[in-house]
Amino acid sequence: MVRKSGWNTVKLKDICDFIGGGTPSKQVENFWRGNIPWISSSDLMESSIWKINITRHITAEAVAKSATHICPRNTVLVVSRVGVGKVAIAPVEVCTSQDFTSLVSKKHDARFLAYCIQIKMKIMAEKTQGTSIKGVTVENIAQMEIELPPQEEQIAIAEALSDIDSLISSLQKLIEKKKAIKQGAMQELLTGKKRLPGFSGEWKELNFAESAKLKARIGWQGLTTSEYLQSGYAYLVTGTDFHNGRIKWETCHFVDEKRYRQDLNIQIKKHDILLTKDGTIGKVAYISNIQKPTTLNSGVFVIRPAKEDSFDPNFVYHILNSFLFDNFLAKLSAGSTINHLYQKDFVDFTFKAPSELVEQQAIAQVLSDMDSELVQLEKKLAKYQQIKQGMMQELLTGRIRLVDADRKEQPKTQILQERQPAHNQHFDDAVMIAGIVNAFYSEKYPLGRKKVQKLLYLVRRKEQADISAFHKKAAGPYADEVRYKGGEPIAQKNKYIQVKRNEKGSRFEKGVQMQQALTYLQDWGKQGDVDWLVSQFQYTSVNELELLATVDMAICDLRREGKEISAASIKDLIRSNKEWRDKLKKAYFKDADIQRAIKKCEDLFES
């Protein structure tokens, strides 16, 4: 079936030959003393580009007497059993284990085929609702359909995706380097081997059981899963909510006020340390801020200093997140598996710490700064990976072309210039609104104007663009010009979107010319901004978006006036505007919600 100029839909079985793999007998030592590379799925290193770590070699006799075969250079190696979904390109002639299904095509670019298979595997995994695929048959792969362009366009697409893969790979290497630097700093700073400038005092030995208070939900107060709420008065932290030393608030369940107030000891405060004591034991989190009342389930300890000057909590958090605590847990288990921690277990946990709290705080700050840098790098990596996914969806389907209809490769300097009309802010808004509708439209959950306006405001803030069109309306920030003479009517006129109206209001849906707007987004380098919106707000309610946009606009106003940013100052500003003041009567504009929104806006836009 012909799709686009020169593109065809084909099955892999029609363009590739398939090669199986096997494992020579481990009992015959001579089989493993040859010069023919042999790999298993564990030899594919997990990174942006699947690379091969060749460590084993077999003989020609081993190939002849086993089920494995020699794959020529540039064979596409697909893991179809253990570690399903990994893909690599054979850099030399190799043999593989039975974990692989390998594809050879002399007429088509191996990298292009590898990327097509990789995205097909991802789609297959998504259809299994997030569970891991245990195995894929040769027939499964053979029957895969791909959109196949001419050879020169395959090469251009593969090179573009390889470039983003190289960027991802270099960032992953930088992250690993930063992690290694941090580990080295912990080895020196947490043991006193290296002192920070200006400190020379003695270190003391602290016994954890004596210097810390450990509290947890006691047995008779244990919660049933029926009490885990989707929303409610207080967060409920469980062991599954720990992530990289912090709590992922967005994954937390909730409990009602009665349950929260039942135990004062586990009402979480700023600077508390949390430690998992059931299931996956030893996960640690530091509470640097509190968004709303928070309590624990029975699988988590809260740790605080026994006395005000016993220790600095942030310093001890880094102790518990280090090799020092790992070594203690290893001794505690003594080779067996432990699935529960008790307070009595900590009697023998001792560590050294500076006698002065100020030195503990200085060490903690150095390590926290390293953590913050790693968090930012991880966010950047996630963004690049998301951009890659967007590129694959666009390039591997021919929605974005790197070679024109006459099969001439476009100069790279012209790729982003093609098909760009003369445009202004109104046209930019029309295209961005189309991108928002494409990303957020759902038949189950209608997409209204209020949500589109809030997302448009937030993406302008992310781009550091002009927001003067947005005003303090009752549902504001709200831009009348976007609705009546700007982006929305242009998007409708060009059929990027359609707006249907009923008794419940306006509903935004995709138009027949949506693809043209998406092409502009990609050409202008704006698709990443839409991807950012999705990553940040895909499951965010309209009320929450109103809260965030309102608080952010208030922050901008207060900053211009040189005023302090706080929940109180933002409430005063909202109260001072007659169209905004009724917001403070809404359930989602409580003090705790405004404070949480301040933190979220700072995280989103401060950098």
Side-chain angles (χ1 to χ4, degrees):
M1 180 178 77
V2 176
R3 298 297 296 270
K4 300 170 183 65
S5 177
W7 285 61
N8 294 279
T9 301
V10 299
K11 291 185 177 180
L12 289 175
K13 69 174 185 175
D14 296 328
I15 60 171
C16 297
D17 295 323
F18 290 76
I19 300 175
T23 304
S25 172
K26 298 290 180 68
Q27 307 302 316
V28 183
E29 291 185 10
N30 285 340
F31 282 1
W32 298 89
R33 294 177 179 174
N35 57 6
I36 302 172
W38 180 91
I39 61 170
S40 69
S41 59
S42 62
D43 295 322
L44 268 64
M45 296 181 287
E46 193 165 342
S47 65
S48 304
I49 309 171
W50 300 112
K51 295 184 178 179
I52 305 174
N53 182 29
I54 299 174
T55 60
R56 289 164 288 189
H57 295 76
I58 59 175
T59 61
E61 183 185 8
V63 175
K65 294 184 177 180
S66 68
T68 193
H69 300 82
I70 295 177
C71 301
R73 181 175 176 273
N74 284 335
T75 297
V76 181
L77 310 174
V78 183
V79 179
S80 52
R81 290 179 58 178
V82 181
V84 177
K86 293 182 179 180
V87 182
I89 307 292
V92 294
E93 288 188 344
V94 298
C95 292
T96 72
S97 73
Q98 57 272 27
D99 294 339
F100 288 86
T101 297
S102 303
L103 295 79
V104 179
S105 177
K106 294 181 180 178
K107 295 182 179 180
H108 304 291
D109 187 87
R111 296 171 302 167
F112 178 85
L113 296 178
Y115 283 120
C116 288
I117 294 168
Q118 196 175 63
I119 201 166
K120 290 288 183 181
M121 289 289 196
K122 185 176 185 295
I123 292 170
M124 194 180 297
E126 289 172 350
K127 287 182 178 178
T128 61
Q129 298 181 338
T131 58
S132 59
I133 309 173
K134 292 182 170 55
V136 178
T137 66
V138 174
E139 186 61 18
N140 290 149
I141 297 174
Q143 292 295 331
M144 284 182 179
E145 288 188 343
I146 66 170
E147 302 293 322
L148 190 68
Q151 175 85 356
E152 61 268 31
E153 192 161 1
Q154 294 174 34
I155 294 170
I157 291 169
E159 287 181 351
L161 293 174
S162 293
D163 286 344
I164 187 69
D165 262 342
S166 296
L167 187 60
I168 289 171
S169 183
S170 64
L171 188 53
Q172 287 173 325
K173 289 176 182 177
L174 177 61
I175 289 171
E176 290 307 310
K177 179 180 178 181
K178 295 289 185 181
K179 285 180 177 178
I181 290 171
K182 188 201 166 190
Q183 288 301 316
M186 293 173 79
Q187 291 273 358
E188 294 187 320
L189 293 176
L190 295 178
T191 58
K193 291 178 182 176
K194 182 176 181 179
R195 305 292 291 276
L196 294 176
F199 296 105
S200 58
E202 293 295 320
W203 282 44
K204 59 186 177 183
E205 188 168 276
L206 292 180
N207 179 281
F208 198 70
E210 295 173 358
S211 60
K213 292 188 295 186
L214 280 72
K215 297 292 182 181
R217 183 178 291 278
I218 59 178
W220 65 269
Q221 291 180 336
L223 295 162
T224 63
T225 53
S226 64
E227 294 179 275
Y228 285 32
L229 307 177
Q230 293 303 311
S231 61
Y233 178 79
Y235 281 124
L236 176 69
V237 174
T238 71
T240 61
D241 301 318
F242 286 61
H243 180 71
N244 289 341
R246 296 292 182 265
I247 297 301
K248 288 185 71 174
W249 300 107
E250 61 270 25
T251 69
C252 289
H253 286 86
F254 300 82
V255 292
D256 59 31
E257 185 174 1
K258 181 180 177 182
R259 270 302 201 180
Y260 170 75
R261 299 201 181 282
Q262 192 170 19
D263 192 340
L264 290 171
N265 291 314
I266 56 171
Q267 291 177 1
I268 303 307
K269 310 171 210 173
K270 190 175 181 179
H271 305 310
D272 279 345
I273 307 165
L274 304 185
L275 174 71
T276 55
K277 63 189 186 74
D278 285 321
T280 305
I281 66 168
K283 291 192 289 185
V284 191
Y286 179 69
I287 305 299
S288 57
N289 64 80
I290 282 285
Q291 302 182 6
K292 65 187 296 179
T294 303
T295 188
L296 308 173
N297 80 341
S298 58
V300 182
F301 277 127
V302 57
I303 300 167
R304 297 167 180 144
K307 298 177 183 177
E308 190 174 340
D309 62 348
S310 295
F311 56 73
D312 175 70
N314 198 11
F315 175 82
V316 168
Y317 155 74
H318 287 292
I319 291 285
L320 295 175
N321 210 28
S322 76
F323 63 96
L324 296 168
F325 191 58
D326 289 343
N327 293 343
F328 167 74
L329 291 178
K331 290 179 182 177
L332 194 64
S333 63
S336 63
T337 301
I338 56 173
N339 53 22
H340 189 85
L341 277 177
Y342 300 92
Q343 284 180 265
K344 63 180 178 62
D345 293 328
F346 292 92
V347 170
D348 296 326
F349 180 46
T350 60
F351 58 92
K352 290 187 176 181
S355 299
E356 296 182 5
L357 285 182
V358 66
E359 185 175 2
Q360 294 183 29
Q361 292 163 352
I363 292 170
Q365 188 61 56
V366 169
L367 297 176
S368 294
D369 288 345
M370 290 182 170
D371 283 340
S372 295
E373 184 181 14
L374 281 167
V375 166
Q376 293 306 313
L377 288 173
E378 294 282 3
K379 286 181 179 178
K380 192 174 184 180
L381 175 62
K383 178 181 178 181
Y384 287 161
Q385 289 170 330
Q386 197 170 43
I387 289 171
K388 179 195 170 184
Q389 289 304 312
M391 289 176 65
M392 290 177 76
Q393 290 167 4
E394 299 296 323
L395 294 176
L396 296 177
T397 58
R399 292 181 206 156
I400 300 296
R401 304 293 297 273
L402 299 185
V403 172
D404 66 21
D406 296 325
R407 301 187 182 183
K408 296 177 182 177
E409 185 173 354
Q410 302 172 52
K412 290 188 177 181
T413 57
Q414 294 178 10
I415 289 173
L416 293 181
Q417 298 171 5
E418 185 195 40
R419 297 187 302 276
Q420 292 190 14
H423 56 99
N424 53 26
Q425 185 64 62
H426 293 329
F427 193 85
D428 288 354
D429 285 342
V431 170
M432 183 56 70
I433 288 170
I436 289 170
V437 172
N438 183 65
F440 287 86
Y441 170 76
S442 164
E443 290 185 9
K444 187 175 180 181
Y445 302 106
L447 179 62
R449 180 174 288 109
K450 184 176 177 181
K451 187 166 187 174
V452 171
Q453 283 258 343
K454 298 302 167 289
L455 291 168
L456 185 61
Y457 170 87
L458 291 166
V459 79
R460 279 208 196 176
R461 286 284 291 120
K462 185 261 182 185
E463 295 171 338
Q464 297 183 350
D466 182 16
I467 57 170
S468 60
F470 290 84
H471 302 293
K472 295 180 176 67
K473 301 292 186 179
Y478 192 90
D480 287 320
E481 71 173 43
V482 169
R483 176 179 179 181
Y484 294 112
K485 63 177 182 178
E488 186 180 321
I490 292 172
Q492 289 186 78
K493 180 181 178 182
N494 290 348
K495 298 182 180 180
Y496 302 156
I497 65 169
Q498 52 182 331
V499 181
K500 297 182 178 179
R501 295 172 178 83
N502 56 30
E503 67 280 0
K504 294 183 179 179
S506 298
R507 183 175 67 182
F508 286 58
E509 297 181 1
K510 301 177 185 180
V512 294
Q513 297 297 327
M514 169 66 77
Q515 188 54 56
Q516 185 181 63
L518 299 183
T519 300
Y520 292 146
L521 275 177
Q522 191 71 36
D523 289 348
W524 300 341
K526 296 286 188 179
Q527 183 60 47
D529 293 332
V530 177
D531 295 339
W532 175 83
L533 281 176
V534 173
S535 68
Q536 295 294 337
F537 307 113
Q538 184 171 15
Y539 303 110
T540 305
S541 69
V542 178
N543 291 344
E544 180 72 7
L545 289 173
E546 180 189 351
L547 170 69
L548 289 171
T550 301
V551 168
D552 180 73
M553 179 173 269
I555 289 172
C556 292
D557 284 0
L558 292 169
R559 286 240 165 88
R560 279 194 295 271
E561 297 171 12
K563 294 182 178 178
E564 178 190 6
I565 309 300
S566 67
S569 63
I570 286 175
K571 285 175 66 177
D572 287 343
L573 189 147
I574 293 172
R575 197 178 292 113
S576 69
N577 185 284
K578 65 180 181 179
E579 289 204 53
W580 268 21
R581 63 180 59 141
D582 283 348
K583 288 179 184 285
L584 299 179
K585 298 177 183 178
K586 297 178 179 180
Y588 48 94
F589 270 85
K590 303 298 184 188
D591 285 14
D593 297 311
I594 293 173
Q595 190 60 50
R596 173 173 54 79
I598 292 172
K599 178 63 170 61
K600 177 74 172 178
C601 291
E602 288 175 345
D603 290 343
L604 289 172
F605 305 125
E606 286 303 291
S607 60

